[in-house]
């Protein structure tokens, strides 16, 4: 028997509900040991001896917001890499960007806002920036921003630093490495010409606040984030995406995710190897 604190079924359910209500992520019953192991270090860090005390801390302490952020960072999957899901990125470049260029070319304000919701350490954002940059369409008179949102501050620090190692670059064409990265010993920095198009913000994508702070969103990528959400939270979050997107704006989901039976405010566009969702209207 270890002397480490146990997590009772009741405590587990309280923690599970707290995580679900605030962040959308739903842990199933078999995740009790996972939650316990991941959070034991937080109890030790805070000098607490039971999970019940930890739950009280998360609910009522003055520092609860900070602690909730630390907790969620320990519970989420951050896996990502450059140029993930090539058919989607091809569709972004060839269909979505060319449509946006044609639609906005004659406007006074030629602005494009792309959001990576749940951007992790920034590989998705920088990949989108490279694809946008290399079209050569958006240099003069255009303002193109790729916004990365994540709840994990540490991920955002990596994203802003734009320094990456082989693991993140494993699926990337060598040409991009030569063109858009600066090598420094064993690591690679995204060049400023591309990294300068990105902006990283800390936020919870299930909360309206983050979407209210963005305007005229043209494209949202939310890939491999909502797979961990309950169906109810997926519905609500997609509703927020729908509200933030311009009419005709695009939503990209991970390849195993779908809007079927979730939201009828989007039409499906079938392209080689992928499906895009386009806001109606
Ligand atoms: C598996 S990564 C996906 C990264 C990238 N979208 C991709 O497909 O390569 C999931 C990311 O979503 C973030 N995340 C999970 N729930 C979130 C929420 N409610 N609000 C913002 N970010 C969230 C996690 O912190 C993590 O960095």
């Amino acid at each position: 028997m270890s002397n480490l604190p146990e997590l009772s079924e009741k405590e587990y359910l309280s923690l599970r509900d707290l995580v679900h209500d605030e962040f959308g992520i739903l842990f199933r019953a078999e995740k009790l040991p996972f939650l316990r192991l991941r959070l034991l270090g937080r109890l030790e860090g805070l000098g607490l001896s039971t999970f019940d005390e930890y739950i009280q801390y998360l609910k009522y302490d003055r520092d609860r917001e900070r602690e909730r952020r630390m907790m969620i960072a320990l519970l989420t999957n951050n896996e990502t890499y450059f140029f993930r899901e090539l058919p989607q990125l091809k569709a972004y470049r060839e269909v979505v960007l060319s449509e946006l260029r044609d639609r906005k070319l004659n406007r006074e304000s030629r602005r494009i806002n792309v959001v990576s919701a749940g951007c992790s350490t920034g590989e998705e954002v920088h990949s989108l920036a490279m694809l946008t940059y290399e079209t050569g369409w958006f240099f003069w008179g255009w303002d193109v921003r790729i916004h990365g949102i994540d709840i994990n501050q540490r991920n955002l620090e990596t994203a802003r630093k734009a320094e990456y190692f082989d693991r993140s670059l494993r699926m990337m064409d060598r040409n991009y490495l030569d063109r858009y990265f600066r090598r420094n010993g064993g690591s690679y920095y995204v060049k400023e010409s591309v990294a300068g198009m990105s902006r990283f913000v800390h936020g919870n994508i299930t909360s309206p606040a983050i979407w209210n702070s963005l305007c005229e969103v043209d494209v949202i990528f939310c890939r491999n984030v909502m797979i961990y959400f309950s169906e109810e939270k997926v519905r609500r979050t997609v509703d927020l995406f729908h509200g933030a997107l311009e009419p005709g704006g695009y939503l990209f989901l991970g390849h195993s995710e779908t809007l079927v039976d979730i939201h009828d405010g989007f039409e499906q566009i079938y392209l080689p190897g992928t499906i895009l969702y386009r806001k109606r209207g």
Side-chain angles (χ1 to χ4, degrees):
M1 251 331 244
S2 84
N3 291 325
L4 296 173
E6 290 302 326
L7 175 62
S8 72
E9 185 73 27
K10 187 164 164 255
E11 289 160 348
Y12 169 69
L13 293 177
S14 294
L15 269 175
R16 187 201 65 169
D17 290 351
L18 200 146
V19 169
H20 175 250
D21 291 349
E22 179 150 357
F23 302 104
I25 298 164
L26 182 64
F27 287 103
R28 319 258 166 219
E30 69 274 12
K31 289 287 189 181
L32 188 152
F34 167 85
L35 236 76
R36 174 176 174 267
L37 282 177
R38 285 291 170 106
L39 298 179
L40 275 171
R42 292 309 308 143
L43 270 66
E44 191 184 357
L46 295 167
L48 305 174
S49 47
T50 66
F51 272 96
D52 188 46
E53 286 170 22
Y54 185 55
I55 293 162
Q56 299 310 311
Y57 191 100
L58 287 167
K59 285 188 175 165
Y60 306 114
D61 196 88
R62 245 188 331 169
D63 274 342
R64 62 184 180 277
E65 289 305 326
R66 190 169 154 272
E67 183 54 34
R68 284 177 183 211
R69 289 206 292 269
M70 294 185 79
M71 171 188 69
I72 201 66
L74 292 167
L75 300 179
T76 45
N77 172 355
N78 300 319
E79 169 65 3
T80 187
Y81 47 89
F82 279 91
F83 289 84
R84 190 173 195 174
E85 291 296 322
L86 278 176
Q88 292 196 318
L89 299 184
K90 199 162 179 275
Y92 168 73
R93 201 202 130 133
E94 291 175 9
V95 177
V96 175
L97 284 180
S98 69
E99 189 182 310
L100 287 171
R101 178 199 54 180
D102 294 350
R103 200 192 306 156
K104 301 202 180 199
L105 198 58
N106 295 320
R107 289 199 192 163
E108 205 172 299
S109 134
R110 284 184 264 162
R111 204 175 288 148
I112 294 180
N113 285 305
V114 178
V115 175
S116 161
C119 65
S120 190
T121 37
E123 287 86 334
E124 183 171 81
V125 170
H126 295 304
S127 303
L128 294 172
M130 286 173 205
L131 288 165
T132 310
Y133 185 92
E134 76 171 359
T135 61
W137 295 334
F138 303 107
F139 291 126
W140 293 276
W142 288 87
D143 178 7
V144 182
R145 286 266 156 251
I146 324 280
H147 309 260
I149 304 171
D150 207 277
I151 33 162
N152 184 330
Q153 286 279 20
R154 208 178 265 178
N155 286 349
L156 295 172
E157 280 161 29
T158 303
R160 289 189 190 110
K161 198 168 171 206
E163 180 190 19
Y164 296 97
F165 299 88
D166 287 340
R167 193 179 144 66
S168 292
L169 304 162
R170 62 191 185 270
M171 298 302 280
M172 199 173 67
D173 189 318
R174 186 86 222 170
N175 279 326
Y176 285 101
L177 201 59
D178 297 339
R179 261 185 279 157
Y180 298 117
F181 290 82
R182 190 167 43 79
R183 191 173 181 160
N184 183 13
S187 66
Y188 298 84
Y189 284 89
V190 180
K191 285 185 183 164
E192 182 48 34
S193 50
V194 165
M197 294 168 70
S198 309
R199 174 176 165 261
F200 292 98
V201 258
H202 181 253
N204 180 351
I205 64 159
T206 68
S207 144
I210 191 74
W211 298 103
N212 293 340
S213 71
L214 293 161
C215 47
E216 298 174 21
V217 178
D218 298 293
V219 186
I220 297 175
F221 276 75
C222 186
R223 304 188 300 170
N224 311 301
V225 181
M226 294 192 294
I227 36 174
Y228 305 103
F229 288 11
S230 66
E231 194 175 310
E232 171 217 335
K233 283 284 181 181
V234 175
R235 275 182 217 287
R236 288 208 204 161
T237 309
V238 172
D239 228 17
L240 296 175
F241 296 165
H242 189 263
L245 278 168
E246 292 279 279
Y250 285 94
L251 172 62
F252 289 77
L253 300 177
H255 74 282
S256 62
E257 301 167 79
T258 173
L259 286 191
V260 173
D261 295 331
I262 294 286
H263 206 288
D264 58 10
F266 294 85
E267 57 180 314
Q268 298 188 33
I269 316 256
Y270 292 87
L271 293 173
T274 191
I275 300 172
L276 314 189
Y277 297 93
R278 190 167 191 267
K279 178 170 164 173
R280 296 184 199 278

